[in-house]
Amino acid sequence: ATTRDLADTLADLCALLLEHGGSLWERFPIDAESMFRLMRRVIPQLREASLAAQSFPRDVLFTILRETIRQERVPFEADPLTGLQVLGMLETRLLHFHTVHIVDATEDRLPGPPPHDPLLPDSLRGLLRLPDGRHREQVAAYNFHRLIRGASTVAIHYQSGVQGSGLFEEKKSRSRFVEELLWQEEQRLKTLLKPGMAPLHAVSYPMPAICTGDRPVMRSAAVDSRIHEYLKRPLSPSALDAYLTCPVRFFHERICGLSAVDEVNEGDDFAGIGDLLHAVLEEFFKPYTGRTIRPDEDDARRLQELFVLRLQQSELRDQLPFDSYLMLEAAGVQRLAQFLEQQPETRIVALEKDIAADVDADDLPPGAVRQQLAGRIDRIDEREDGIVILDYKTGSVNRPHPRIWDNTDLWQQMRAWNGEDDDTLHQLAEAIHSVQLPAYLYMYAHGGTGTKAPRGAAGLADAGWVELKTKGQEILLFGKDTSDDDRTIFLEDHIPLLMRFLFRHMRTSPAFRPRRGKHCEWCSCANCCSM
């Protein structure tokens, strides 16, 4: 009720902080100085005031406290007084240093975004002759240039092209003040500076998960039981790709059921964009199923209009940042037109077709469930050379090494593999990257879409990716230069051998060994490798 009561309460608060703060105040000298001023100046003033016994409303007491604290000034003293000092830009005024490191010299920090003031916007501040955003930038520029001119050695550090973590935050770019310094240096040297040329140096620091080594997951009785239980269900080509890419990641995600951390997507929804394009292309080509088509300009116009309509009706309109939505609309229209220009004359057999096939295995124990592949093919075409299976790709395409099909040593090594803990799977992953298209070819040749009998490989010609990310060109697995004899060997011998080897390796390998690579950067289970 009185300022004396207020002083006593503040004294109790300070005693609590000092008792439980431990060594905190030794590491934060400015906070310790603020605590000292509160105890030695503010509390005595409140306790010994002439009106200390007078009752006041609580709001009045708080106003008195705020005004009393506002009159105090805590001097800044660098800690330590010599050696390395970490300062803010404003704290460097009137100071000179031998060596200065300016950290995070990016546009969002130096000069930084203009403050949002709905009551006094920049246009109104100028009319009232108040400091505006331009004046603020001039002050920041003065402090920056004065700091570097007052030092003997200056190193300016910044991140370039690194995605921020804030909501709708753009990629970082170096400060305009740094651009000015580089431009002056280019004027002096009369050449454009490139990363690596003094004084513009580029440093890359990859930040993988902390790892104590490539620790494999050894096969135990419990692990073996879970594997055989998992193999009772049909496996998709994406599951085989996951195992080929990294068996340890496959074990954690598919066998143990570990999922990625559920986070709010603040950027582009690549999966949603892929689903939209798949749905649009299926709807566009559906009337042509069973017919021969050679797309023309009218087809391109109708496909573009369909894409814009479905995009406006989709959830992406509300989920994507507005600039990303506009870029998707413009780029999608252009990419789909280029895609139709790349399309040859073809007869569409099926769209989004479910397909499955058993994988033969000679080493299955008696009574074991037959292993099965199952998936969905985006498009099946019939062309002059035979059946061509197509898969739409909105991301990057990892085409197999062109010599993989002629690598006799590798195929013989897979054929002879019998449960050894060696690098055969690693060699295969380095050469082929993805087995999605071979799996589709195998299922089409040895399985069926429904109740149809196995077809065999006689009518198959090739499989390929349709790279929608660029111009929509088809990237074929074998290519037109492959002879008919080689194609027959690949379809009837190599691809079945590939499928049997992956299932056999998954079923009998004594250990799941990690495979290091670029995929580790976005692996959802990367932290498991350091456990």
Side-chain angles (χ1 to χ4, degrees):
T2 65
T3 59
R4 183 175 291 113
D5 296 338
L6 184 60
D8 294 339
T9 303
L10 285 175
D12 293 341
L13 175 62
C14 293
L16 176 68
L17 294 175
L18 290 175
E19 180 180 355
H20 297 280
S23 61
L24 188 68
W25 313 111
E26 298 177 2
R27 294 185 286 115
F28 297 96
I30 295 181
D31 296 323
E33 179 68 21
S34 300
M35 178 76 73
F36 176 81
R37 293 302 178 100
L38 189 64
M39 297 175 62
R40 298 301 181 185
R41 293 180 60 88
V42 175
I43 292 177
Q45 289 182 33
L46 296 175
R47 181 177 288 142
E48 299 171 7
S50 58
L51 297 177
Q54 178 69 37
S55 297
F56 293 101
R58 180 172 298 179
D59 293 342
V60 175
L61 288 175
F62 289 167
T63 301
I64 294 174
L65 175 62
R66 281 194 294 269
E67 293 301 324
T68 305
I69 293 178
R70 188 175 288 121
Q71 294 175 7
E72 294 298 321
R73 293 292 181 269
V74 177
F76 171 79
E77 296 180 1
D79 181 47
L81 297 178
T82 59
L84 178 64
Q85 299 181 22
V86 181
L87 307 175
M89 185 63 71
L90 293 179
E91 296 167 349
T92 65
R93 290 175 297 181
L94 304 180
L95 298 179
H96 294 272
F97 303 92
H98 181 273
T99 302
V100 169
H101 290 267
I102 301 178
V103 183
D104 207 10
T106 54
E107 185 67 16
D108 60 332
R109 299 291 185 184
L110 192 67
H116 179 64
D117 190 349
L119 296 180
L120 287 175
D122 264 8
S123 56
L124 182 58
R125 296 179 72 90
L127 295 176
L128 298 177
R129 297 183 180 180
L130 296 174
D132 55 7
R134 181 173 178 82
H135 178 267
R136 174 178 170 275
E137 293 178 2
Q138 290 175 343
V139 171
Y142 170 80
N143 291 325
F144 174 80
H145 290 291
R146 191 211 166 278
L147 173 62
I148 63 177
R149 293 298 175 87
S152 302
T153 304
V154 180
I156 303 175
H157 308 269
Y158 58 88
Q159 293 175 305
S160 179
V162 178
Q163 183 69 37
S165 59
L167 187 63
F168 303 134
E169 190 175 0
E170 298 179 352
K171 290 185 177 180
K172 290 181 178 291
S173 59
R174 58 192 174 207
S175 169
R176 66 189 70 176
F177 304 148
V178 180
E179 294 283 3
E180 180 182 357
L181 294 176
L182 292 175
W183 180 78
Q184 293 174 353
E185 187 67 14
E186 290 174 342
Q187 294 291 315
R188 186 181 69 83
L189 299 176
K190 300 188 182 302
T191 184
L192 293 177
L193 292 174
K194 297 180 180 180
M197 299 173 55
L200 182 60
H201 303 284
V203 181
S204 176
Y205 291 102
M207 297 294 291
I210 300 174
C211 183
T212 58
D214 292 342
R215 299 179 59 182
V217 177
M218 305 305 296
R219 184 182 293 267
S220 63
V223 171
D224 191 64
S225 175
R226 290 291 295 270
I227 291 292
H228 286 284
E229 187 68 27
Y230 178 80
L231 291 177
K232 290 180 180 180
R233 70 190 74 170
L235 263 65
S236 64
S238 62
L240 294 183
D241 271 352
Y243 185 77
L244 181 69
T245 302
C246 180
V248 169
R249 178 179 178 181
F250 172 86
F251 173 80
H252 287 134
E253 290 183 345
R254 308 283 176 145
I255 307 301
C256 299
L258 297 181
S259 58
V261 178
D262 190 12
E263 297 178 336
V264 177
N265 183 19
E266 299 175 357
D268 295 334
D269 185 2
F270 298 108
I273 295 173
D275 293 340
L276 173 67
L277 288 173
H278 277 72
V280 168
L281 291 174
E282 180 188 8
E283 183 177 354
F284 174 78
F285 283 117
K286 192 172 184 178
Y288 298 100
T289 304
R291 298 166 48 190
T292 300
I293 177 177
R294 174 62 180 173
D296 54 20
E297 293 182 358
D298 290 338
D299 292 322
R301 177 181 51 79
R302 288 192 299 104
L303 178 59
Q304 291 172 328
E305 293 174 352
L306 178 62
F307 169 75
V308 173
L309 176 62
R310 294 295 177 256
L311 175 60
Q312 293 174 350
Q313 295 174 344
S314 70
E315 297 179 352
L316 294 175
R317 183 183 183 91
D318 300 323
Q319 293 176 352
L320 293 178
F322 186 66
D323 56 340
S324 298
Y325 175 82
L326 293 180
M327 287 188 290
L328 173 61
E329 183 177 10
V333 168
Q334 181 182 4
R335 294 284 188 270
L336 290 176
Q338 294 173 337
F339 156 70
L340 284 187
E341 291 178 2
Q342 300 284 340
Q343 288 293 288
E345 183 175 338
T346 184
R347 178 177 177 272
I348 298 179
V349 177
L351 298 169
E352 298 294 331
K353 199 66 175 177
D354 292 326
I355 192 169
D358 292 333
V359 177
D360 297 331
D362 299 331
D363 57 343
L364 281 178
V369 179
R370 299 190 68 180
Q371 292 155 3
Q372 191 179 57
L373 271 174
R376 172 171 290 186
I377 297 177
D378 292 339
R379 203 172 100 197
I380 302 175
D381 285 7
E382 184 179 357
R383 300 181 182 176
E384 182 180 357
D385 297 334
I387 294 295
V388 176
I389 296 174
L390 297 177
D391 184 69
Y392 300 129
K393 280 292 184 184
T394 54
S396 301
V397 173
N398 291 321
R399 189 176 184 180
H401 193 280
R403 302 297 300 174
I404 174 64
W405 307 109
D406 299 327
N407 191 342
T408 307
D409 293 339
L410 179 58
W411 293 108
Q412 184 59 35
Q413 192 172 342
M414 286 192 291
R415 195 184 308 275
W417 189 85
N418 193 27
E420 296 85 3
D421 190 8
D422 56 16
D423 63 345
T424 304
L425 184 70
H426 180 81
Q427 294 182 41
L428 177 63
E430 292 292 327
I432 201 169
H433 307 301
S434 172
V435 295
Q436 184 180 29
L437 291 186
Y440 286 153
L441 290 170
Y442 179 87
M443 287 187 287
Y444 189 89
H446 297 82
T449 54
T451 59
K452 294 182 179 180
R455 301 175 177 80
L460 276 175
D462 211 333
W465 297 276
V466 180
E467 195 172 22
L468 298 174
K469 182 180 179 180
T470 54
K471 296 183 178 180
Q473 65 270 25
E474 293 181 1
I475 302 177
L476 297 177
L477 183 64
F478 302 138
K480 296 185 178 299
D481 296 334
T482 304
S483 65
D484 293 340
D485 292 340
D486 288 341
R487 194 186 312 273
T488 301
I489 294 175
F490 301 157
L491 291 171
E492 296 183 355
D493 180 76
H494 286 14
I495 289 181
L497 171 61
L498 175 61
M499 297 297 108
R500 291 195 300 268
F501 168 74
L502 288 174
F503 273 98
R504 188 166 68 250
H505 198 284
M506 196 181 303
R507 191 176 63 254
T508 63
S509 176
F512 292 87
R513 297 197 173 276
R515 174 174 170 264
R516 297 294 175 185
K518 192 174 181 61
H519 53 270
C520 295
E521 297 179 8
W522 54 80
C523 176
S524 59
C525 301
N527 290 334
C528 296
C529 293
S530 61
M531 296 175 63

